[in-house]
Amino acid sequence: MERLNQTSSVSEFILPGLSSRPEDQKPLFTLFLIIYLVTITGNLLIILAVRSDPQLHTPMYFFLSFLSFIDICFSTTIVPRMLVNFLSENKTISYAGCLTQMYFIYALGNTDSYLLAAMAYDRYVAICDPFHYITIMSRRPCVLLVAFSCSLPHFHSLLHILLLNQLTFCNSNVVHHFFCDINPLLKLSCSSIFVNDLTIKTEGLMFGATPFLCIVFSYVQILIAVLRIPSAAGKRKAFSTCGSHFAVVILFYGSIFYVYLQPLSSYTVQDRVATLVYTVLTSMLNPFIYSLRNKDMKRGLGKLLGRRKSS
């Protein structure tokens, strides 16, 4: 804690949130409370359905259950703090609390990204090399992929937090955002942010682009393989196994690239709204996308809910 006080004359930050108008606070609280409850319920149902249905004990649903768990954690890192701020006049967060929130947001967000890449690889093997699928996607490789996806992002997040902790904040302490994000915090610094900016544009871009490029490569190979299938029914079946995952990828990466692949000086209030997509809305929509477009998931959820009603 002493280290934090030495590197910054700012002991706390103010998070104005999505709106500073008093009349907006209660409607926003209600809206995001509903979103949070739907997120927790939907992702929890996915996890329980996968665990309870033996037919869903496959690599794809193994990855999906971990993605749902990370989405619960990701949403919990952001939304409860938003809800408190909506009903509180004191919208402050301590310096240490701000860095802690940012650490978990980036760690969990990047874990989401790597899990999506693992799921794309699973679909690639299933469609492009189906005869070796059981061997390649056995339990041990799946566990290693999840362990890698959940551990590596923490080192990436820690690097940016340590670099941010070297900055001095001596001007405004108002973070124009609904959570502690790196871009609005860098704009508040009165010391040089050259190293931080360089790290974001090199290590950050490479770290974030790697899973995305893996996903693109997987889907290009899948598309080539599907186009070679002679029957229209076979093509539809192959596309149906990838449609849900592809929709999530577009939603997740589209909003991230919009927010972060632009100069720091052009960061505006519109970026706050775009950030809502990958931080809040994607976690809520994932269970609907996967369950509504997936017959196996529908069946698993039906069995789970039917079992709960009968008991």
Side-chain angles (χ1 to χ4, degrees):
M1 197 62 179
E2 291 178 3
R3 173 63 179 155
L4 296 180
N5 291 332
Q6 289 172 0
T7 58
S8 174
S9 57
V10 173
S11 61
E12 61 184 20
F13 292 104
I14 299 173
L15 295 171
L18 296 173
S19 173
S20 58
R21 297 166 56 190
E23 61 270 23
D24 292 339
Q25 303 309 304
K26 287 186 178 179
L28 285 172
F29 173 85
T30 303
L31 173 63
F32 281 93
L33 177 61
I34 293 171
I35 289 175
Y36 182 61
L37 293 176
V38 170
T39 300
I40 300 300
T41 304
N43 283 289
L44 192 58
L45 284 174
I46 294 288
I47 295 171
L48 293 174
V50 172
R51 287 180 61 87
S52 64
D53 189 348
Q55 293 184 349
L56 296 180
H57 292 177
T58 63
M60 182 173 70
Y61 297 111
F62 175 73
F63 293 133
L64 177 58
S65 62
F66 272 95
L67 182 69
S68 293
F69 174 72
I70 295 299
D71 279 342
I72 290 174
C73 297
F74 192 34
S75 185
T76 301
T77 305
I78 299 171
V79 180
R81 181 80 207 185
M82 291 176 64
L83 296 177
V84 171
N85 283 353
F86 286 140
L87 299 184
S88 174
E89 292 185 6
N90 181 19
K91 302 179 186 295
T92 60
I93 184 171
S94 68
Y95 184 87
C98 187
L99 294 191
T100 301
Q101 185 191 48
M102 189 187 302
Y103 171 84
F104 283 106
I105 286 172
Y106 283 107
L108 294 169
N110 281 289
T111 298
D112 251 8
S113 180
Y114 275 77
L115 284 173
L116 288 173
M119 294 172 75
Y121 176 70
D122 171 74
R123 292 299 84 204
Y124 160 72
V125 176
I127 293 174
C128 299
D129 196 6
F131 296 110
H132 296 96
Y133 179 76
I134 296 176
T135 305
I136 296 173
M137 299 304 294
S138 61
R139 183 165 184 81
R140 188 170 184 272
C142 290
V143 171
L144 288 176
L145 279 171
V146 168
F148 177 82
S149 300
C150 293
S151 58
L152 185 62
H154 286 273
F155 294 102
H156 164 77
S157 183
L158 183 61
L159 171 64
H160 288 280
I161 295 302
L162 291 175
L163 288 175
L164 194 66
N165 193 39
Q166 304 304 311
L167 300 180
T168 303
F169 300 93
C170 52
N171 296 319
S172 172
N173 67 337
V174 179
V175 181
H176 295 286
H177 217 311
F178 56 88
F179 71 94
C180 288
D181 197 7
I182 194 165
N183 281 345
L185 274 174
L186 288 178
K187 293 184 76 170
L188 296 181
S189 174
C190 53
S191 55
S192 174
I193 61 171
F194 174 77
V195 175
N196 303 74
D197 197 34
L198 181 64
T199 305
I200 291 172
K201 290 178 179 176
T202 54
E203 186 273 347
L205 183 60
M206 180 180 67
F207 192 89
T210 299
F212 178 72
L213 291 175
C214 290
I215 293 170
V216 170
F217 172 80
S218 297
Y219 274 102
V220 168
Q221 296 301 313
I222 288 171
L223 181 62
I224 293 172
V226 169
L227 292 177
R228 290 175 180 167
I229 298 174
S231 67
K235 289 179 181 179
R236 281 197 301 271
K237 183 178 179 181
F239 276 125
S240 67
T241 64
C242 303
S244 302
H245 179 259
F246 189 69
V248 171
V249 167
I250 293 297
L251 192 65
F252 184 77
Y253 278 103
S255 56
I256 286 179
F257 288 158
Y258 175 81
V259 173
Y260 293 106
L261 292 185
Q262 58 177 310
L264 180 62
S265 58
S266 64
Y267 194 85
T268 62
V269 68
Q270 284 79 14
D271 298 310
R272 263 187 279 171
V273 178
T275 306
L276 278 173
V277 176
Y278 81 87
T279 56
V280 179
L281 296 183
T282 302
S283 296
M284 180 190 71
L285 293 175
N286 278 357
F288 293 99
I289 293 173
Y290 281 108
S291 59
L292 292 176
R293 292 181 57 88
N294 190 302
K295 292 180 180 178
D296 293 335
M297 200 70 246
K298 283 182 182 178
R299 188 195 64 249
L301 287 170
K303 286 183 179 179
L304 177 68
L305 295 174
R307 194 179 301 127
R308 291 285 183 270
K309 288 179 181 178
S310 62
S311 61

